[in-house]
Amino acid sequence: MFAQDADSLNDREFALMADILRRVLKEIEIGVRRRIAAEFASRPDVPRDLLTFLANDEIDVAYPVLSQSPVLRDADLVEVIRNRTLEHQLAVAVRFEVSETVSDELVGTGNETVITELLKNPDARISRATLGYLVEQSQRIDGYREPILSRDELPADLAKRMIFWVSAALRKAIVDRFALDPNEVDTLMEEAAREVGEDTVHGTTAARRTAAERLAEELSAAGRNDADLMISALQNGEVSLFVTLFAHASGMREILVRRMLFEPGGEGLAIACKAMNFAREDFSVIFLFSRKARPVPPAVLRDEHHAVMGLYERMTVEACRKVLTRWTRDHNYLRALLEVDLTAAPQQDRAPSAAPWDPEGPGTDA
C-alpha cells in the first residue's frame, strides 16, 4: 500500500503507514528490507527518518539509499561516514550528488579507495582547499593523479603543481589541457630542482668540486673547452678529464656521459656531439677513441663507425640540441618523456628527437 497507493493516502494515513514500516523493518528478514530499500531509494516522498534507518542498515540494504536518496541531508550522510563501514563510505562517495561538506568528510577518512571513488565522481563537489590537499597527496599516492586531472574544477595553478611528480603521460595531459608551453614547464621543473639542491648542499659544493671540474670551468671561461681539448684528453688517456670536459660543455651529468661513452652503437654520443656542433672529423676521432674503452672486433668496429657516421651526417644541429636539452633534465623524467613520444609520434618524426636510446637505461643496443 505504501509503495503503490501513497498518492491516495492523506497526511495522517501516510505518517501512520511510515510508523508501521519503521516498527516492522526491525523484525523482518534482510531480503525484504533490501527490496523495500530499493523501492524507496529514489523517492522524494519517503519520510527522512525511515530512510536514515535504512541508510544505517547492512550495506546490501543501505547501498541504494545512500547512493540515490534525495531525501538524506548532509548531516545524515556525515553520520553514516563516521559510524558505519568502508562499504557505506563508498556508497556515499558514488552518490548522484555529493556536497563539499560531505566530500570533506570522505576525504577526512584518509581511505585511498574512498577518496579515489570520490575523485572519479563527476557529481561530487570538492572545495578548492580540499582539492589542493589532494593535489599534494598525489605526490605520494599515484592513484589520485589521473582522477584529479579529469576534474572540471581543477584550477591551472593546482595542475601546475602536479607537473613536478606526475608521469610524463599525465604531464602531457596537463600541458595540453591548460595550453602550457612545454619548454616553460621544463624550465620550471629545473629551477625547482636546482633550488632544492642549493638548499640541501649550500656551502659545500665548492669544497666537493674535483680538480678536473675546476679545470673545466677555467677552460670554459677562457673559451677553451672545445673538441680539440677533449680529443687531446682522450689521446693522453685522461678519460676522466674528457668526461668532465664533455659534461661541462654539454650540461649533462658525468654519469650520463660515461654511460654514453661506453654504450654500443654510439648514437647517444653522436647526438650530443652534433648538438655541440662538433665537426664531422672531430666526432669520428672521439667515437673511435671511445671504442678503445670497449674493445670490439675490427669488423664490428668498422660497421659501427660507418653506421654512426651516416647518422651524424643526417641529423641536424637544431634537432640534436632539443634532445640534449631534454637529456640535461632528471633522467627518470627524461625516460618517461621518451616513452610518451615514442608512442605518440609518427615513425618518421621520431629520429633523432625521440631516439630509442636511453643514456641512463640498461646497456641495450640502440
Side-chain angles (χ1 to χ4, degrees):
M1 288 181 62
F2 189 89
Q4 299 176 7
D5 302 319
D7 292 340
S8 65
L9 301 174
N10 59 38
D11 291 345
R12 181 176 177 280
E13 291 169 335
F14 189 89
L16 180 61
M17 189 70 70
D19 184 59
I20 293 171
L21 280 171
R22 276 192 296 272
R23 296 171 184 269
V24 171
L25 281 175
K26 296 177 182 179
E27 307 297 333
I28 61 178
E29 65 176 8
I30 189 171
V32 178
R33 299 203 306 274
R34 187 187 305 120
R35 290 173 56 192
I36 293 173
E39 178 70 33
F40 292 167
S42 59
R43 289 182 54 164
D45 58 348
V46 180
R48 178 184 162 208
D49 59 347
L50 179 57
L51 287 170
T52 57
F53 173 81
L54 293 170
N56 283 276
D57 204 331
E58 301 289 337
I59 188 59
D60 286 350
V61 177
Y63 186 88
V65 175
L66 288 172
S67 61
Q68 300 175 40
S69 176
V71 176
L72 295 177
R73 299 177 184 175
D74 284 357
D76 304 324
L77 298 171
V78 168
E79 190 71 17
V80 170
I81 293 169
R82 291 178 179 176
N83 297 297
R84 298 299 292 153
T85 69
L86 170 64
E87 288 80 5
H88 288 75
Q89 294 169 355
L90 287 169
V92 175
V94 301
R95 68 184 269 108
F96 73 100
E97 182 179 357
V98 183
S99 70
E100 290 186 359
T101 299
V102 175
S103 291
D104 288 349
E105 197 69 33
L106 289 168
V107 172
T109 66
N111 186 285
E112 294 179 16
T113 303
V114 172
I115 295 172
T116 301
E117 289 302 319
L118 175 70
L119 287 169
K120 290 179 179 179
N121 183 354
D123 296 320
R125 299 196 302 275
I126 303 177
S127 68
R128 178 187 169 86
T130 299
L131 202 55
Y133 166 78
L134 293 175
V135 164
E136 296 301 324
Q137 289 295 302
S138 71
Q139 183 173 5
R140 180 178 60 85
I141 303 172
D142 295 352
Y144 292 173
R145 297 172 185 175
E146 191 166 357
I148 285 176
L149 292 173
S150 299
R151 297 205 63 83
D152 293 336
E153 71 268 40
L154 179 68
D157 61 314
L158 292 183
K160 286 179 182 178
R161 284 191 214 169
M162 296 183 67
I163 287 174
F164 295 102
W165 54 80
V166 297
S167 67
L170 292 183
R171 171 192 174 277
K172 187 175 185 300
I174 295 174
V175 171
D176 292 344
R177 175 177 170 184
F178 294 98
L180 303 178
D181 184 339
N183 291 327
E184 291 182 5
V185 170
D186 290 341
T187 300
L188 180 65
M189 296 180 70
E190 189 175 54
E191 289 175 352
R194 184 165 56 249
E195 289 173 3
V196 171
E198 289 173 354
D199 290 341
T200 304
V201 300
H202 182 66
T204 63
T205 303
R208 288 208 299 261
R209 285 186 305 165
T210 65
E213 288 171 335
R214 289 194 294 272
L215 176 60
E217 289 183 4
E218 292 171 4
L219 291 170
S220 181
R224 284 285 295 124
N225 194 355
D226 54 17
D228 289 340
L229 189 59
M230 295 178 196
I231 290 172
S232 178
L234 285 175
Q235 288 173 334
N236 293 318
E238 296 286 349
V239 176
S240 295
L241 178 59
F242 168 83
V243 170
T244 300
L245 292 171
F246 198 97
H248 193 273
S250 65
M252 294 187 293
R253 293 175 303 143
E254 290 192 14
I255 187 173
L256 194 151
V257 176
R258 287 185 180 276
R259 172 62 69 105
M260 180 183 295
L261 193 62
F262 303 134
E263 277 288 335
E267 289 89 346
L269 186 63
I271 292 171
C273 288
K274 190 77 171 189
M276 292 186 286
N277 204 20
F278 284 4
R280 180 182 184 278
E281 294 76 15
D282 289 338
F283 166 68
S284 178
V285 173
I286 291 173
F287 173 80
L288 290 173
F289 268 108
S290 74
R291 301 302 92 176
K292 290 185 178 181
R294 178 181 166 271
V296 294
V300 174
L301 176 59
R302 184 173 57 251
D303 292 343
E304 282 189 357
H305 186 245
H306 177 76
V308 80
M309 293 310 298
L311 174 67
Y312 199 79
E313 292 173 353
R314 293 193 303 273
M315 295 186 301
T316 66
V317 173
E318 181 181 2
C320 290
R321 282 177 176 168
K322 290 181 180 178
V323 179
L324 181 60
T325 298
R326 297 169 79 178
W327 282 349
T328 61
R329 314 285 182 188
D330 175 76
H331 68 281
N332 291 321
Y333 174 68
L334 160 70
R335 184 180 296 114
L337 284 177
L338 291 179
E339 290 171 358
V340 170
D341 285 351
L342 284 169
T343 58
Q347 184 71 35
Q348 63 269 24
D349 296 335
R350 293 181 186 174
S353 62
W357 178 87
D358 182 358
E360 293 243 66
T364 55
D365 289 342

